[in-house]
Amino acid sequence: MINTYFDKRALKYIKRKERLDKDFVWTNEDLQKFGNLNADLLKMQDALVDEIKSTYDLFSKLEKNGMSFLHGFKVIGNIFFEKEIINDLYELDKTTKKQKAIIDKWDNITWNTSDEIEAWQLIFDSLTEDFMPFSKVRLNQNGNRCWNLELSSNIDTTGFCSYFYHFLKYNKTFANCDLLECTIKDFTPGVKVVLNYDVSEIIRFSSCYPYLNADNDMVYNMLDDRCRTLNKSFEWTEKNIQKIMKVNSWLWKMTDEMKTELKKLQEVFKAISSSDPKYKNYSLEGQIEYHGSEANDIATLEIQKELSSRAAFHYWTLSCDEDRPELRDDIHEDKNLNWNFEVFRNHFTEEQQKIPFHYFMHTVFVDDRIYSFEDLIRMSEKDFKVCLEINWYGE
């Protein structure tokens, strides 16, 4: 049964898969190809586990050697799919009709199933010094290294490594004949380090993301109504305005902290990449998030979790990489643009209007319609977090 939330292009490729698989017959040669790919992916998965542990060792040393802000970091490993031929075709100055068709085919097949496939991940927690529980299950560390998948009713069950099992089970648009075109060169392992992000072992698949089909999302609509209702009754008293000012000052303080942390990490990557090319092409990015840790009179912990999971924290980030070493804050580059305009400015005194407002104050509390002003004046400084994501891509 085809779910109604898919757009027309996705439906086209879902129906294509059903049509092609209907009359597909597996041959011994096909099964041998699958076996070889599984063996290659198992080697890649094992190498990924080693890389995750190596990354943990490196960042643990950094934490012990003065970078205490890294405390609680997590290492996330994944394997991504992109057909090797697509990159080659994109580099051509001119493509034929046949080549364009190949690009269109693989772009759509991959795009319409990427969220589900990329939900497979391995997470190593520095606090427990071990993989998280579901990651352990995925690795099947109790001896039986392979998962079982029945390719068709008349074929014996064949063992697959955890990643390949997940890839085959959750793809929506790869037909069997498409899978037979895949080689190990189409798969790329990746490791990153994250700090303070609300990392979940079970990533919600694309159909559950709140920013997709938001009009049909009952929780989103409830939070939107809640925000509008609370804002209508909000009183712009001097006490409340002073709390708003205080939250704004916390954000600027945390921005300075983030800049310091990113610069320290940048120096580390400059040093280690000069001797180990694996760490070249690094990318460092940070943002500020709020995660309420205590219930209050207008929000239970459950509501606070929903608020933080849907808020537009990612609209403001600081980043740098090997090609662009300077930390740039484009949003705040224009010193004449104060983000207190619209709602805030209307209730401020002339002196208060001169205080620079952080973009977070505008995008999260004005544009986003998730957090209300009533939520804002109940916020605690300890629940604001600097969140970092550290990637590297090698030479």
Side-chain angles (χ1 to χ4, degrees), residues 147-370:
W147 298 72
N148 291 324
L149 180 72
E150 193 173 12
L151 294 176
S152 70
S153 58
N154 61 344
I155 295 177
D156 291 337
T157 301
T158 307
F160 288 94
C161 73
S162 169
Y163 172 77
F164 201 26
Y165 163 81
H166 180 95
F167 184 97
L168 295 169
K169 182 175 181 179
Y170 290 110
N171 85 77
K172 299 189 296 283
T173 51
F174 283 81
N176 290 331
C177 56
D178 300 319
L179 292 167
L180 290 174
E181 294 183 45
C182 297
T183 71
I184 194 62
K185 293 181 179 180
D186 302 324
F187 297 86
T188 306
V191 173
K192 66 180 179 182
V193 172
V194 298
L195 179 71
N196 289 332
Y197 281 102
D198 189 17
V199 175
S200 171
E201 281 206 277
I202 304 178
I203 295 178
R204 290 181 294 179
F205 287 176
S206 57
S207 62
C208 302
Y209 288 155
Y211 53 81
L212 294 176
N213 307 296
D215 290 340
N216 297 321
D217 188 323
M218 291 179 62
V219 177
Y220 178 90
N221 289 333
M222 181 273 288
L223 295 178
D224 181 79
D225 290 341
R226 173 186 178 276
C227 178
R228 292 175 185 272
T229 301
L230 288 172
N231 280 348
K232 282 181 182 179
S233 60
F234 183 73
E235 296 181 4
W236 290 87
T237 63
E238 186 59 27
K239 180 181 178 181
N240 287 343
I241 289 174
Q242 287 304 315
K243 178 59 184 284
I244 290 171
M245 293 293 184
K246 186 176 288 188
V247 172
N248 181 59
S249 69
W250 295 342
L251 291 166
W252 285 117
K253 177 185 174 184
M254 298 196 76
T255 299
D256 290 338
E257 291 175 7
M258 187 193 303
K259 288 179 179 179
T260 299
E261 293 170 4
L262 287 173
K263 286 176 181 177
K264 287 181 179 179
L265 285 168
Q266 187 182 50
E267 289 303 314
V268 167
F269 272 84
K270 280 182 180 178
I272 62 177
S273 64
S274 62
S275 58
D276 190 343
K278 176 176 69 177
Y279 295 105
K280 286 187 177 292
N281 300 317
Y282 62 84
S283 171
L284 313 175
E285 184 171 280
Q287 66 188 44
I288 297 173
E289 293 191 1
Y290 183 85
H291 295 270
S293 60
E294 297 177 2
N296 57 47
D297 58 321
I298 63 169
T300 63
L301 281 177
E302 183 179 8
I303 290 177
Q304 296 214 40
K305 186 175 181 180
E306 291 293 345
L307 292 170
S308 62
S309 70
R310 295 162 188 267
F313 300 132
H314 61 285
Y315 282 8
W316 177 81
T317 60
L318 277 178
S319 63
C320 63
D321 53 50
E322 189 175 43
D323 296 328
R324 195 194 66 177
E326 293 80 18
L327 277 174
R328 290 177 56 190
D329 188 357
D330 296 335
I331 296 292
H332 296 119
E333 205 170 58
D334 186 353
K335 301 301 181 183
N336 296 318
L337 178 57
N338 194 335
W339 291 100
N340 67 1
F341 66 87
E342 294 182 339
V343 180
F344 294 118
R345 189 176 180 85
N346 294 336
H347 301 278
F348 288 173
T349 65
E350 187 175 342
E351 286 302 309
Q352 289 170 338
Q353 290 176 11
K354 296 177 183 178
I355 297 174
F357 257 51
H358 200 286
Y359 183 65
F360 186 105
M361 299 294 292
H362 172 78
T363 188
V364 173
F365 299 117
V366 178
D367 280 354
D368 199 26
R369 297 203 310 274
I370 296 292

Side-chain angles (χ1 to χ4, degrees), residues 6 24 36 44-45 59 87 97 123 127 141 148 164 176 186 297 299 362-364 368 386 393:
F6 295 125
F24 185 85
N36 292 341
M44 181 176 286
Q45 181 178 300
F59 277 80
N87 285 326
K97 187 175 180 180
I123 305 175
L127 294 178
Q141 294 172 333
N148 291 324
F164 201 26
N176 290 331
D186 302 324
D297 58 321
H362 172 78
T363 188
V364 173
D368 199 26
V386 171
Y393 309 101

Side-chain angles (χ1 to χ4, degrees), residues 119-140:
W120 184 91
Q121 58 181 353
L122 302 175
I123 305 175
F124 195 97
D125 188 347
S126 65
L127 294 178
T128 62
E129 301 182 357
D130 200 356
F131 284 97
M132 294 180 71
F134 189 40
S135 297
K136 286 184 179 181
V137 173
R138 279 179 161 155
L139 288 171
N140 211 2

Side-chain angles (χ1 to χ4, degrees), residues 95-107:
T95 52
T96 65
K97 187 175 180 180
K98 183 178 180 181
Q99 289 169 332
K100 288 179 180 177
I102 293 173
I103 293 174
D104 184 68
K105 166 190 166 181
W106 284 109
D107 274 353

